[in-house]
Amino acid sequence: MYSTQERVFDAIVFDLGGVLIELSGVDRMLELLQHQLTVEELWTRWLTSPAVHQFETGQIDADVFTTLLFTEFGITIDAAQFIAEFTSWPQGLYPGATDLLRALAPHYQLACLTNTNALHWPRICDEMGVLDHFTAHFASHEVGMVKPHPEIFAHVLDALGYAPERILFLDDNRLNVEAAQAVGISAHRVVGLAGAIMQLTALGILPVAGAGTILPPTV
């Protein structure tokens, strides 16, 4: 029988893009930048970009974001083309993501914490139906804060009401993981759904049997 006394965590918080949702934007940005940056360098520039910060905290619209981003990164393609491409970057949930969340939901409070914007969020909510699987969600453009800034993690802790060590956070970006760890959250870097399942299995939360068959949590 499942015992709540055995649980190490009360809540599991997922990043979306790159963990539960497949993204195409990294390769496209590297192409636009003529592969002058590594993936790690690109993520560092993206997460520290003033244009990205303003857009993903809801301070500016897509047109202003594009103008500022082009100036920052030296992008020269047509602005309308970039907006269309950017909107399509979230490809959809990884196969099996819904099964994973359904397996965890009876035993943990599930939440998502994502840096997002007014172009991506409607697709995530309406086309992908992601919010159906979470009891709490923290979208950067709605709360006016972004990862890896410490205030967004403080906001999550306050909203969920658990001690930091009782929250497991899975994100695909090192800077975000380190920021969460700095406030005491048990955070781990994972890449894609396969990485999330591997980490959950390593923590004893989720046994996985055979070709992706997800079994109920054990802890």
Side-chain angles (χ1 to χ4, degrees):
M1 180 179 295
Y2 184 86
S3 170
T4 57
Q5 293 182 344
E6 296 175 352
R7 291 189 306 182
V8 176
F9 304 108
D10 294 304
I12 303 176
V13 180
F14 289 89
D15 176 31
L16 293 181
V19 177
L20 297 179
I21 294 174
E22 186 174 4
L23 297 176
S24 62
V26 172
D27 288 341
R28 178 55 172 151
M29 279 296 293
L30 291 173
E31 180 184 347
L32 291 173
L33 299 175
Q34 300 179 338
H35 297 278
Q36 295 178 13
L37 300 176
T38 66
V39 172
E40 186 78 7
E41 290 168 341
L42 173 60
W43 270 119
T44 299
R45 283 197 60 183
W46 187 268
L47 290 173
T48 57
S49 159
V52 173
H53 181 273
Q54 291 179 68
F55 188 42
E56 295 197 331
T57 54
Q59 298 179 55
I60 57 176
D61 64 19
D63 291 331
V64 175
F65 162 67
T66 302
T67 299
L68 295 177
L69 190 77
F70 279 20
T71 300
E72 277 188 43
F73 285 82
I75 298 171
T76 57
I77 68 169
D78 178 73
Q81 176 187 344
F82 176 81
I83 290 176
E85 291 183 4
F86 179 79
T87 302
S88 71
W89 282 6
Q91 298 290 290
L93 286 165
Y94 283 107
T98 296
D99 291 336
L100 171 64
L101 296 174
R102 285 175 177 165
L104 295 171
H107 310 295
Y108 300 90
Q109 180 175 3
L110 301 184
C112 62
L113 169 59
T114 180
N115 286 359
T116 188
N117 52 74
L119 294 178
H120 291 166
W121 192 239
R123 296 192 57 235
I124 290 170
C125 297
D126 300 334
E127 294 180 26
M128 303 176 200
V130 171
L131 296 192
D132 295 343
H133 305 289
F134 298 106
T135 59
H137 67 273
F138 307 96
S140 64
H141 73 301
E142 292 185 340
V143 300
M145 296 171 276
V146 294
K147 300 175 293 184
H149 292 197
E151 58 263 31
I152 197 166
F153 295 103
H155 175 72
V156 170
L157 289 172
D158 184 62
L160 294 181
Y162 299 118
E165 66 274 11
R166 300 292 299 180
I167 298 174
L168 173 64
F169 175 54
L170 302 180
D171 194 291
D172 67 326
N173 189 274
R174 176 184 58 81
L175 293 178
N176 296 336
V177 168
E178 291 174 352
Q181 291 171 341
V183 299
I185 294 172
S186 180
H188 298 267
R189 182 175 182 265
V190 301
V191 178
L193 184 69
I197 290 173
M198 287 179 62
Q199 185 63 63
L200 291 167
T201 303
L203 292 170
I205 291 172
L206 187 75
V208 178
T213 302
I214 299 174
L215 302 176
T218 58
V219 203

